[in-house]
Amino acid sequence: MIQLSEVHEAVQERYGAIAVNGTSCCGPSDCCGDASNASLFYEGELLDGLPVDVTGLSLGCGDPVTIAGLRKGERVLDLGSGGGIDCFLAARQVGPEGYVIGVDMTPAMLEKANANKARMGVDNVEFRQGQIEALPVEDNSIDVIMSNCVINLAPDKRAVFREAFRVLKPGGRVAVSDIVTEGEFSDDLRADLSRWAECVTGAIDLELYIALMREAGFSEVTVADKRTAEEIVPTQPGMPKIYSARVTAIKSE
């Protein structure tokens, strides 16, 4: 059985290489994309004014920003912020009176994100190093949590959802885009760290994903939409059906 630390190491190694070399996270099929994939997931006007160093590190599988319904003055947390694209998009929507925190465990990604922040002159975004299973964020301090193709990479998803619940204010909400499945991977594929780090074999069944969110305390867990991810995730024997889904939830007051 693979160890949790081994997953973190494999993911960090892969994403560190992406930050340094600019290569996509999922090989030739680009499940998590490059500059051309940003335009697949976001409306064109959202990307206006973003430099290529930001869109070129758009490693998500959807657009959680649009379904988050962000409002002026809100405090937003992005789980697995990478190069910062969703943080910068959120910062525009919450305005100077709002604030956005991005958490990422990969130093090279944080370096890229902070360089992008300085280049763009953004004052209401902060990037923190940490794991999403143990967030460096205070209790009951966040209005909205977003995440884009990252929770599938976490070896302990139950801890991720518990931490998300902890840091959200009562009445706060979650808007995530993630890779999920219908069914389970074979044991051999689940143990393949390279595929896990490619946003593939760490994914879990959508019903389990929803159940873990509810177990953590979230209510009104809703699948906003889902679409097949077969065109962006190479399939092979032993794989279940794979989807890109957007999910929202509430921390009841």
Side-chain angles (χ1 to χ4, degrees):
M1 182 178 294
I2 58 175
Q3 300 298 310
L4 302 189
S5 60
E6 291 178 320
V7 175
H8 287 129
E9 289 169 5
V11 171
Q12 191 170 51
E13 180 180 358
R14 188 171 186 88
Y15 280 85
I18 294 166
V20 172
N21 301 320
T23 55
S24 70
C25 73
C26 299
S29 297
D30 289 341
C31 96
C32 300
D34 53 16
S36 62
N37 271 13
S39 61
L40 293 178
F41 301 127
Y42 301 93
E43 294 295 333
E45 61 268 21
L46 277 179
L47 302 178
D48 287 348
L50 292 182
V52 68
D53 283 348
V54 173
T55 59
L57 283 176
S58 172
L59 307 178
C61 55
D63 166 18
V65 181
T66 299
I67 63 170
L70 300 177
R71 298 185 286 267
K72 299 294 184 184
E74 289 189 313
R75 288 178 61 86
V76 180
L77 174 64
D78 184 21
L79 307 184
S81 47
I85 185 170
D86 291 321
C87 290
F88 298 129
L89 292 175
R92 290 176 173 177
Q93 295 189 18
V94 300
E97 62 270 40
Y99 200 71
V100 181
I101 300 168
V103 172
D104 202 282
M105 71 174 181
T106 304
M109 276 294 180
L110 291 165
E111 184 177 348
K112 284 284 190 181
N114 279 308
N116 288 332
K117 172 185 171 179
R119 183 178 299 111
M120 296 171 64
V122 179
D123 296 324
N124 61 338
V125 174
E126 173 191 355
F127 295 101
R128 300 179 184 178
Q129 184 168 4
Q131 294 179 354
I132 62 174
E133 298 97 331
L135 291 167
V137 180
E138 295 178 354
D139 295 357
N140 305 311
S141 62
I142 300 296
D143 295 299
V144 184
I145 288 178
M146 305 187 306
S147 187
N148 198 343
C149 203
V150 173
I151 297 173
N152 75 82
L153 295 168
D156 188 351
K157 295 168 180 61
R158 179 176 277 106
V160 174
F161 293 129
R162 286 176 177 169
E163 280 290 274
F165 191 85
R166 175 184 67 82
V167 304
L168 270 180
K169 298 176 182 178
R173 58 199 188 276
V174 172
V176 302
S177 178
D178 213 355
I179 297 295
V180 296
T181 70
E182 182 181 303
E184 299 294 337
F185 288 97
S186 67
D187 290 341
D188 287 344
L189 281 174
R190 186 70 81 182
D192 186 342
L193 287 176
S194 65
R195 299 311 307 274
W196 191 304
E198 292 173 355
C199 325
V200 182
T201 58
I204 61 174
D205 187 274
L206 179 56
E207 293 302 315
L208 175 58
Y209 198 99
I210 292 170
L212 290 176
M213 294 185 77
R214 289 176 174 154
E215 178 187 301
F218 289 105
S219 60
E220 299 182 40
V221 182
T222 303
V223 179
D225 52 53
K226 73 174 185 177
R227 65 180 187 180
T228 180
E230 289 182 357
E231 76 275 15
I232 53 176
V233 177
T235 59
Q236 63 188 86
M239 279 192 177
K241 293 182 179 178
I242 300 174
Y243 299 93
S244 172
R246 295 194 297 175
V247 181
T248 61
I250 301 292
K251 178 178 178 177
S252 297
E253 298 192 44

